[in-house]
Amino acid sequence: MHDARLLLDPDANAAAKLRRRGYVLDTDHLGKLVSRRSSVISEGDQARAESKKAAAEVGAAAKRGEDVTELRERARELKNRIGRLEEEQREVEAELTEFLLGVPNIPLDEIPDGATEEFAEEVRRVGEPPEFGFEPQDHVDLGERAGFLDLTRATKLSGPRFAVFKNAGSRLQRALAQFFLDIHTGEHGYTEFSLPSLVTRPTMTGTGQLPKFEEDLFRTGVADRELFLIPTAEVPLVNLHAGEILPLEDLPLRYTAHTPCFRSEAGSYGKDTRGLIRQHEFSKVELVQFVEEERSREALEEILAHAETPLRRLGLPYRVIKLAAGDTGFTAQITFDIEVWLPSQGTYREISSASDTGAFQARRANIRGKGKDGKRAQIATLNASGLPIGRTLVALLENNQQADGSIRIPEALVPYTRFEVINPDGSTS
């Protein structure tokens, strides 16, 4: 959540910067809310001062034996006025908070203009797409023919956009998750967490999923308890420190978790309906960092490199792009997408996003920093997928398929799968 004063500061040029991402900041309405809040606070302070003075006058007059009826009436009127002003202050602050919660992060100047992926800036390509002497199959045909992927039964159980795996498919998913976690905890210095998949409304608000994206979330509850299924482990990982003051000497904090993720994919029906690209439920290893705000851009390069490492180890060809302002997510001030090559589609598709949210999430979740010397600092949060299990599996199957329908397992993953090949009949060897 933004500082309203910064949004209204002409030197900050926030309104123009937000227009780059297609958001029109209503500075007139915001200015009126801020002015009204300041006025109510000032009036309340004045009324409390007058009330204190009136109470003293009542006490002094009573000691002198004077009639204090009028003075007491005046004191009651002031107390009633204070109550009305406090209620008005709560109302205007709630309205201001609601307004600010709907304002997206301000994009950095370095990201390109534009509203879609076609305006993204390609940063690098790693690896060469494989050349096949046959027509490559997609992951659905490969998985269903070998019997380790069953989308029909998944639809029977839960409806569309779910998947059932068995045998080699299940083992491959488990192996990928362990492979990712071992890299990030053992080599990159992340602390692994096991987390709840159900969180509260304030938790979702802290990382920016609410109130704007409520239609994209799965919500549940028992009696009067309202809970949301997490769309990513970023939500509970960031909010582990909600309302806390982090010692600056402990930074950076690097956290990771492997969790299920749940997304309604509202507004995306008709897109990627075949296979595992866009599911209501999937699992993912997430990376989150907490750093001092002035270090966030440097930390973004680091977390991006961490997300790329598993792809390099698996030998999967990919590219990195810097998203345009209008295509950057609500909470991010800059985002790099990692896109992996999918032979069946003949193109690169997103497999990870690495984002620097600056102080945006930390302000919403009330996360602050303080040094031993008393120095206070603004905290920044960063996140990246490191990586999603399903989309990585898609890329692995398609890029490593053989002419006979078998799939070779990358050498780095064999110690985790304990097999080198998935045969056309689904057996392993």
Side-chain angles (χ1 to χ4, degrees), residues 238-254:
V238 169
N239 281 281
L240 286 171
H241 294 298
E244 296 182 13
I245 298 176
L246 302 181
L248 297 182
E249 57 272 17
D250 290 348
L251 302 181
L253 297 176
R254 300 183 180 94

Side-chain angles (χ1 to χ4, degrees), residues 129-132 134-143 148-149 172 272 274-277 314-317 340-349 390-403 405-410 422:
E131 294 184 4
F132 299 99
F134 57 91
E135 186 68 26
Q137 301 177 58
D138 73 6
H139 64 283
V140 176
D141 288 337
L142 289 166
F148 62 78
L149 173 64
L172 193 53
D272 297 312
R274 178 175 169 82
L276 306 176
I277 297 296
L314 294 172
L316 294 173
V340 70
W341 179 258
L342 295 186
S344 69
Q345 299 184 19
T347 191
Y348 292 94
R349 294 298 305 271
R391 291 194 180 193
T392 305
L393 189 146
V394 168
L396 189 151
L397 295 177
E398 293 195 7
N399 281 281
N400 292 282
Q401 62 182 294
Q402 308 299 305
S406 64
I407 298 122
R408 293 199 173 276
I409 303 303
I422 301 176

Side-chain angles (χ1 to χ4, degrees), residues 18-270:
L18 285 166
R19 278 198 298 273
R20 295 182 64 218
R21 65 184 303 156
Y23 181 85
V24 178
L25 179 66
D26 190 343
T27 53
D28 287 342
H29 183 54
L30 178 58
K32 289 176 182 177
L33 287 173
V34 172
S35 177
R36 182 179 159 208
R37 181 183 63 175
S38 297
S39 176
V40 170
I41 290 173
S42 178
E43 288 182 38
D45 290 342
Q46 182 179 347
R48 278 184 284 273
E50 291 178 10
S51 178
K52 185 177 179 180
K53 180 181 177 182
E57 290 176 349
V58 168
K63 283 183 180 180
R64 294 194 298 268
E66 298 175 0
D67 185 355
V68 295
T69 303
E70 291 185 8
L71 289 173
R72 282 179 173 164
E73 181 60 30
R74 168 65 177 160
R76 278 194 294 271
E77 289 175 358
L78 285 168
K79 285 186 177 181
N80 289 337
R81 184 162 183 264
I82 290 169
R84 292 192 298 271
L85 288 169
E86 288 176 345
E87 178 61 27
E88 186 177 354
Q89 181 179 339
R90 285 191 290 270
E91 290 175 358
V92 70
E93 286 182 344
E95 189 175 350
L96 178 59
T97 296
E98 182 180 6
F99 180 97
L100 293 172
L101 286 174
V103 180
N105 206 343
I106 298 173
L108 296 183
D109 293 340
E110 70 172 88
I111 66 178
D113 289 327
T116 61
E117 186 178 313
E118 66 182 294
F119 295 97
E121 174 187 315
E122 186 170 300
V123 178
R124 59 179 167 272
R125 294 192 181 198
V126 177
E128 292 294 329
E131 294 184 4
F132 299 99
F134 57 91
E135 186 68 26
Q137 301 177 58
D138 73 6
H139 64 283
V140 176
D141 288 337
L142 289 166
E144 291 190 331
R145 188 166 298 154
F148 62 78
L149 173 64
D150 193 333
L151 298 177
T152 301
R153 286 191 172 91
T155 301
K156 178 172 69 174
L157 294 173
S158 306
R161 297 189 190 271
F162 291 90
V164 166
F165 291 90
K166 67 177 181 180
N167 294 333
S170 299
R171 290 171 63 186
L172 193 53
Q173 283 197 311
R174 177 159 42 90
L176 284 169
Q178 190 63 59
F179 176 63
F180 297 158
L181 288 169
D182 282 355
I183 290 174
H184 298 313
T185 59
E187 300 178 27
H188 297 153
Y190 287 79
T191 299
E192 182 182 355
F193 285 83
S194 296
L195 302 160
S197 297
L198 289 165
V199 297
T200 63
R201 179 173 288 269
T203 299
M204 283 290 193
T205 302
T207 39
Q209 279 71 31
L210 290 176
K212 184 173 176 60
F213 300 105
E214 187 156 355
E215 67 172 4
D216 292 322
L217 304 172
F218 283 101
R219 180 174 60 184
T220 186
V222 176
D224 60 348
R225 290 192 68 189
E226 176 190 56
L227 293 168
F228 294 85
L229 288 161
I230 59 171
T232 166
E234 170 198 344
V235 174
L237 284 173
V238 169
N239 281 281
L240 286 171
H241 294 298
E244 296 182 13
I245 298 176
L246 302 181
L248 297 182
E249 57 272 17
D250 290 348
L251 302 181
L253 297 176
R254 300 183 180 94
Y255 293 166
T256 187
H258 172 227
T259 66
C261 304
F262 304 88
R263 300 182 185 179
S264 73
E265 298 292 353
S268 67
Y269 291 96

